Every structure is written in C-alpha cells, then in structure tokens.
Amino acid sequence: MYAADMENNMQKLQYNMNQFSKYLTSVQDGTKSFEDVKEGIEAIKYDLYLINNSIDELQPPNNLVTLHNIVKDGCNAYI
C-alpha cells in the first residue's frame, strides 16, 4: 500500500512541476503575464501542500525511509 500511495504522490508532484514549468515558460516567452498565470500557480502551491500532507501521513518501510524523506524534501523545496 505504501508504494502505491507514494507513487501516486510522486505522479501528482511531477504533474504539478510540469504545469509550473509551462506557466514559467509562457511568462518568459511573453505569451502570458504573471497575472495571467498567478491563479494557476496558487493552485499548484495548494496541491503541493496537499501532497506534502499526504506524504507526512505515510509510514515508509525501513528500507525506503531515505527515499521517502528525499521526496518530502523535494516537495517542500517546490513549495
């Protein structure tokens, strides 16, 4: 169960980072302003908090504690 839950969290994390990258690129290339993407970025931030909370609720097996903490730290860094 842990592996499936963590995989789901990692997929959500990757999706949100892809969306963030698209927003950033659209601002950098001038097709959108920051105001245009601000709401989407706030939604990503909210999703990242939910993902972080979900990760906190999981109890990793002993052999996955280090990986678990790396993913959690990565999520916090994105927030």
Side-chain angles (χ1 to χ4, degrees):
M1 183 154 158
Y2 170 83
D5 289 340
M6 196 59 162
E7 178 66 26
N8 186 37
N9 285 322
M10 291 180 68
Q11 287 175 356
K12 289 177 184 177
L13 184 60
Q14 183 63 48
Y15 172 79
N16 279 281
M17 291 304 88
N18 287 341
Q19 290 301 108
F20 180 79
S21 180
K22 287 177 185 178
Y23 286 136
L24 182 61
T25 299
S26 69
V27 170
Q28 287 176 329
D29 69 15
T31 58
K32 295 195 182 222
S33 71
F34 180 72
E35 286 301 316
D36 294 334
V37 300
K38 186 176 180 181
E39 186 176 316
I41 289 175
E42 288 298 322
I44 289 169
K45 185 177 179 183
Y46 178 75
D47 283 350
L48 292 176
Y49 279 117
L50 295 178
I51 295 165
N52 189 51
N53 290 341
S54 178
I55 292 170
D56 274 345
E57 293 173 1
L58 297 175
Q59 292 295 322
N62 289 337
N63 63 328
L64 295 176
V65 169
T66 300
L67 179 60
H68 176 91
N69 290 335
I70 289 170
V71 173
K72 183 173 170 26
D73 290 346
C75 187
N76 284 325
Y78 287 128
I79 291 171

